[in-house]
Amino acid sequence: EEGLLTVQRFFIVDSKAIATAIDSMTTSKPDMVEIMPGIMPDIISDFAKNVKPLVIAGGLISTKNQISQGINAGAFAVSTGNSDLWY
């Protein structure tokens, strides 16, 4: 409502967390969602195909291959604290 972009983060630990995340998104309507850990390409793919907000893969990303897997799975972006992978 204030013109800010919002990112809502979800830690996916089981299938119930997926359902909870989807329910939460319908209420909060974020601009983007960050799915953590980001090393789950199948889950990232499901979210990217089935939710409106852009999906960011984040958490436990430690290789360029994991970045590629996240992007190939449909993530809009990948976040990592590993500065060797920033570009």
Side-chain angles (χ1 to χ4, degrees):
E1 294 173 4
E2 298 297 326
L4 300 173
L5 290 176
T6 57
V7 178
Q8 189 168 5
R9 298 173 110 185
F10 296 105
F11 294 94
I12 304 299
V13 295
D14 57 21
S15 56
K16 183 156 175 72
I18 294 170
T20 300
I22 291 170
D23 286 344
S24 179
M25 284 185 281
T26 61
T27 303
S28 61
K29 299 180 182 158
D31 297 299
M32 293 174 247
V33 294
E34 184 171 14
I35 302 301
M36 303 173 85
I39 56 171
M40 306 179 301
D42 291 343
I43 302 301
I44 300 298
S45 178
D46 287 346
F47 265 85
K49 289 177 190 171
N50 295 305
V51 299
K52 185 177 178 182
L54 296 172
V55 174
I56 302 168
L60 299 178
I61 303 292
S62 60
T63 67
K64 288 182 180 181
N65 185 51
Q66 290 169 335
I67 292 171
S68 295
Q69 288 177 340
I71 297 297
N72 291 338
F76 167 75
V78 175
S79 67
T80 179
N82 183 344
S83 61
D84 292 338
L85 299 175
W86 296 351
Y87 59 93

